Amino acid sequence: MQEKGTISIHTENIFPIIKKFLYSDHEIFLRELVSNAVDATQKIKRLAQLGQYSGELGDTTIEVAFDKDKKTITITDKGLGMTAEEIKKYINQIAFSGATEFVEKFKDAKDANEIIGKFGLGFYSAFMVAKTVEINTLSYQEGAEPARWTCDGSTEFEISEGDRKERGTEITLHINEDSEEFLDKWKLQGILDKYAKFLPVPIKFGTKTESVEDGVDDKGEKKWKSVEVDNIINTTSPIWTKSPSDLKDEDYLAFYKELYPMSEDPLFWIHLNVDYPFNLTGVLYFPKVKNDFEFQKNKIKLFSRQVFITDEVKDIVPEFLMLLHGVIDSPDIPLNVSRSFLQADGNVKKINNYITKKVADKLGELFKKGRKVYEEKWNDIGLFVKYGMISEDKFAEKGKDFTLLKNTKGELFTLPEYKEKVSAIQTDKEGNTIYLYATDADKQDAFIQSAGKKDYDVLLMDSPIDSHFIQHLETKEEKTQLKRVDADVVDKLIQKEDNYENLLTEEQSNKVKEIFEKAINSQTYSVAVEGLSPEELPVTVTMDEFMRRMKDMAQMGGGMSFYGAMPDNYKVAINGNHPVIDKVLKAESEEDQTRLAKQAFDLALLSQGLLKGKDLTEFVKRSVELI
């Protein structure tokens, strides 16, 4: 048997296109060929189960090997095998049935994943790294003869009689000069670890040395000897393929360590398992989320039938769940998946919604089952839950029952509980409930204490996402405003009918304003004399809530960069009812007035952490003189 032929008259420019497009990612040739070997192996097992193959299945381990001297990589399976006719049908015709369309459609394509697989080209990815590819195969069918196929990357092939004695297929790649980096044990091991770590059929790649017991020595202590064993690179039944009822906590934790050996233990996890209206299995872990959550992303691995596809799951997993770790496996997502496919595919949207629901249900269940334990974990999961509330309406609907607000005393409340706690005392004269919050309890302590004197509660909003979460709360909670505790004096933050009157005359107020403006001598600060409680500080420095919030969001990259670039502007509230202001007015000389005003102003800056450098040095010197 010998036959030469041309794959298709339309394909002269197919191979250069394959090489060009897949150049940046040519390690996936191994994923494609090993995946094909797995398919062939699983099919023979299925035929045996159905009674359509009565031969001995035997050891079905797939073997990957390389020979540096001969410059070859070989992938061998004991699967279905092929006859010469099947080679013509599957390798020659099917792969190129869409060849003309392929050339037209993809000559300008950017994404390798748009190409491979779409036209049955998975096998042909071998030509990214090989100058010649050889198939030596023997079909499982009774009486079948072995066949060999050879192709040198042009459109010509040759089929001849093979010499394979056992069922299955051996694919040999004669590696081209540009790709000799793949003739390296650690390079190949790395690619197999990445793509084939959880394939359902054992994959052997060389051997490894292990220590085994070898009796005891003269002192009765165990002896060990080194033996060479097959290096099986994969776990064939990872936990997401098992039923949750068959697994213990230790199994989930051990699997997490296998995926992320350097990470702390996760807080908890969700086992996904659905077969209608789409297929999806997986395990998602809630890690301890650090404040630099940007660096936590891309930790979910996407598989299709246990073959690794990608860890860029942005379009499959809702944005806020990108902080999770773990594995999602869905045969409904093709192996060679492009971004445009993910964005348009109906199944992907359903998967997205399903995962959101499962996560919300799990959090709700944890909260109901053990609120105390949930509260203890809030510091770790709060950022994640708030992110979900902001970015996903479906999550926010359920999330309002298990989202917690923390105050500066460390107490935690659900959203309805907090509303009930503060609405009686923190409602202003317009009927708005005002939530006060601090972003740095130490720095804003004077303002928190000032609020405390009126029995007002102050929330702690110190995570990187809180500037956005505050906006969300104001949108969702009716007649509710959030104001940072240092955005103004407390009487102005929650304006009541019975505010203090300024006891200074208009002339005195103008004089005080003039003294302070001269002492401060800066356009950054605008001075106002107000009637406040005599117990409040003589001078308070604040930044307007709106400006402060826009600046916070600009820092978070919230599209407010215009505000981030604007200079800081502060309001200086002079308490006309405080004895210190009376003292300033009655000072003997203009110089004394300026000195006292500057001292009071610097104290206000100091309490905000705004007094620095030369100004701080002068303040200390002046304080010593005053003593």
Side-chain angles (χ1 to χ4, degrees), residues 594-604 619 622-623 626:
T594 306
R595 198 159 57 123
L596 280 171
K598 183 78 171 115
Q599 187 72 1
F601 171 68
D602 282 353
L603 279 167
F619 168 77
R622 197 185 323 113
S623 299
L626 284 166

Side-chain angles (χ1 to χ4, degrees), residues 30 34 62-66 73-76 192 203-206:
L30 199 53
V34 171
I62 292 163
E63 184 167 359
V64 177
F66 76 103
I73 295 174
T74 309
I75 295 98
T76 311
L192 290 168
I203 294 155
K204 176 190 172 188
F205 178 57

Side-chain angles (χ1 to χ4, degrees), residues 291 293 382-383 386 439 460-467 469 556:
N291 269 356
F293 62 87
L383 182 71
K386 287 174 183 177
T439 53
L460 189 60
M461 294 283 191
D462 60 354
S463 85
I465 207 163
D466 277 335
S467 54
F469 183 59
M556 265 291 292

Side-chain angles (χ1 to χ4, degrees), residues 444 446-448 450 483-493 520 524-528 530 532 536-537 539-548 551 568-574 601 604-608 610:
Q444 293 149 5
F447 293 91
I448 294 167
S450 185
K483 295 183 182 179
R484 198 163 115 171
V485 71
D486 61 349
D488 210 329
V489 291
V490 72
D491 287 341
K492 290 289 172 75
L493 291 175
I520 294 166
T524 306
Y525 300 94
S526 60
V527 178
E530 298 176 357
L532 305 171
E536 292 294 342
L537 290 168
V539 181
T540 311
V541 177
T542 57
M543 183 187 278
D544 170 71
E545 173 70 21
F546 174 77
M547 278 304 297
R548 170 104 59 190
K551 281 178 170 290
D568 290 345
N569 277 297
Y570 295 94
K571 180 185 167 190
V572 181
I574 312 294
F601 171 68
L605 289 181
L606 192 66
S607 74
Q608 281 269 51
L610 292 170

Side-chain angles (χ1 to χ4, degrees), residues 163-178:
D163 55 10
R164 189 167 170 82
K165 300 283 189 288
E166 55 179 344
R167 178 199 76 231
T169 300
E170 177 185 83
I171 295 177
T172 304
L173 279 58
H174 297 268
I175 301 301
N176 61 39
E177 275 181 28
D178 294 344

Side-chain angles (χ1 to χ4, degrees), residues 363-379:
L363 288 163
E365 175 200 321
L366 286 168
F367 179 70
K368 281 188 192 126
K369 214 161 46 172
R371 175 160 179 170
K372 191 170 181 299
V373 175
Y374 184 86
E375 286 187 356
E376 284 165 8
K377 290 178 175 169
W378 182 250
N379 281 346

Side-chain angles (χ1 to χ4, degrees), residues 511-536:
K511 181 66 178 165
V512 167
K513 187 178 179 190
E514 190 186 309
I515 293 166
F516 272 89
E517 280 177 341
K518 185 182 172 190
I520 294 166
N521 191 25
S522 169
Q523 296 296 312
T524 306
Y525 300 94
S526 60
V527 178
V529 181
E530 298 176 357
L532 305 171
S533 162
E535 290 179 14
E536 292 294 342

